[in-house]
Amino acid sequence: MIYGAVKFSIGGSLKLAFRPWVEGLENVPAEGPAILASNHLSFSDSFFLPAVLDRKVTFIAKAEYFTSPGVKGRLTAAFFKGVGQLPVDRSGGRGAGEAAIQSGIKVLESGELFGIYPEGTRSPDGRLYRGKPGGLARVALATGAPVIPVAMIDTEKIQPPGKVVPKLMRPGIRIGKPLDFTRYQGMEGDRFILRSVTDEVMYEIMKLSGQEYVDIYATAAKRQIADAAKAASPAGG
């Protein structure tokens, strides 16, 4: 009930203000579990995608969004719950990743849509980075749910990292055909299979988005960018 009310309010406002264009809506099943695997350009990705779908999409969100104190903290928690975000404590390294995987499995076992960003973090420069094999592939193989590749277009231009006030322009969303990985079910312990599944999904996202692909993790790219900026600064030199 809360989700429906918040989705109607937030989703309707987003569509009215930004008028996102969408291709491939027919590829999202009307019912049953499915994984929406998307590139990640902006904080707003988790709002634009649900806004254009008729079904609820659950994403993993940092637990801090749900536990901040005070009135603002309670309002923030209510907002994220209302738009389908699921709190997971990601501060514990490997354990945090396992918690996210188990949360995704539960969502899919309930017959719902689970949204995930295989890159693991937002792209630092608009390019597409190597997908992390632990989350997406393990959830897909554990549940047998189809994986639907999704490309967010131009959302980084609307709200670049660090910018609070968004720029009014039309983002795009391309939704690809579902990918079936049931032939690998029961093999989620094989790292080569996990890598293969992840790479196949990333290739489809690349085709949909038209992004340049970089075969390193986005987290590593962010470190390289930060190190380069530090070295170029007067203090770093």
Side-chain angles (χ1 to χ4, degrees):
M1 186 73 176
I2 295 177
Y3 174 81
V6 175
K7 174 179 167 58
F8 179 79
S9 175
I10 301 298
S13 298
L14 284 175
K15 287 194 286 187
L16 183 63
F18 294 94
R19 299 181 299 116
W21 56 265
V22 190
E23 297 175 359
L25 272 176
E26 69 278 5
N27 292 321
V28 180
E31 57 183 23
I35 301 168
L36 297 173
S38 175
N39 61 339
H40 198 12
L41 298 172
S42 168
F43 175 78
S44 61
D45 293 337
S46 299
F47 304 114
F48 278 114
L49 181 56
V52 302
L53 299 177
D54 293 330
R55 298 182 59 187
K56 176 182 178 181
V57 185
T58 299
F59 286 89
I60 297 297
K62 292 187 292 186
E64 300 92 277
Y65 290 143
F66 299 81
T67 57
S68 298
V71 175
K72 182 180 179 181
R74 290 194 295 272
L75 289 173
T76 300
F79 171 77
F80 277 94
K81 288 177 183 177
V83 295
Q85 305 285 307
L86 193 66
V88 170
D89 184 354
R90 301 194 295 188
S91 62
R94 186 180 294 257
E98 188 62 34
I101 289 168
Q102 294 306 317
S103 296
I105 290 173
K106 288 180 181 178
V107 169
L108 294 165
E109 287 178 341
S110 298
E112 300 178 3
L113 299 177
F114 178 60
I116 189 169
Y117 301 112
E119 291 167 281
T121 187
R122 279 175 280 175
S123 169
D125 55 14
R127 297 186 294 177
L128 184 67
Y129 286 86
R130 195 179 197 206
K132 294 190 172 183
L136 165 66
R138 281 189 57 194
V139 172
L141 299 190
T143 61
V147 179
I148 302 173
V150 176
M152 307 300 295
I153 312 292
D154 291 335
T155 53
E156 81 282 10
K157 298 175 183 176
I158 291 174
Q159 192 175 25
K163 297 292 184 181
V164 177
V165 180
K167 177 182 178 182
L168 284 178
M169 60 176 291
R170 292 189 76 186
I173 302 170
R174 289 197 183 100
I175 303 172
K177 295 184 180 300
L179 303 173
D180 181 3
F181 295 108
T182 54
R183 61 191 182 278
Y184 297 130
Q185 268 195 279
M187 303 175 70
E188 54 265 34
D190 188 322
R191 63 188 180 92
F192 296 105
I193 294 295
L194 297 180
R195 181 77 265 161
S196 177
V197 168
T198 305
D199 288 346
E200 184 174 338
V201 175
M202 297 309 295
Y203 179 71
E204 293 301 321
I205 294 175
M206 181 186 71
K207 289 198 300 183
L208 290 168
S209 70
Q211 291 169 279
E212 177 186 348
Y213 179 75
V214 186
D215 196 24
I216 63 172
Y217 294 122
T219 48
K222 287 183 176 181
R223 286 195 299 269
Q224 291 176 4
I225 292 170
D227 290 345
K230 184 177 179 181
S233 68

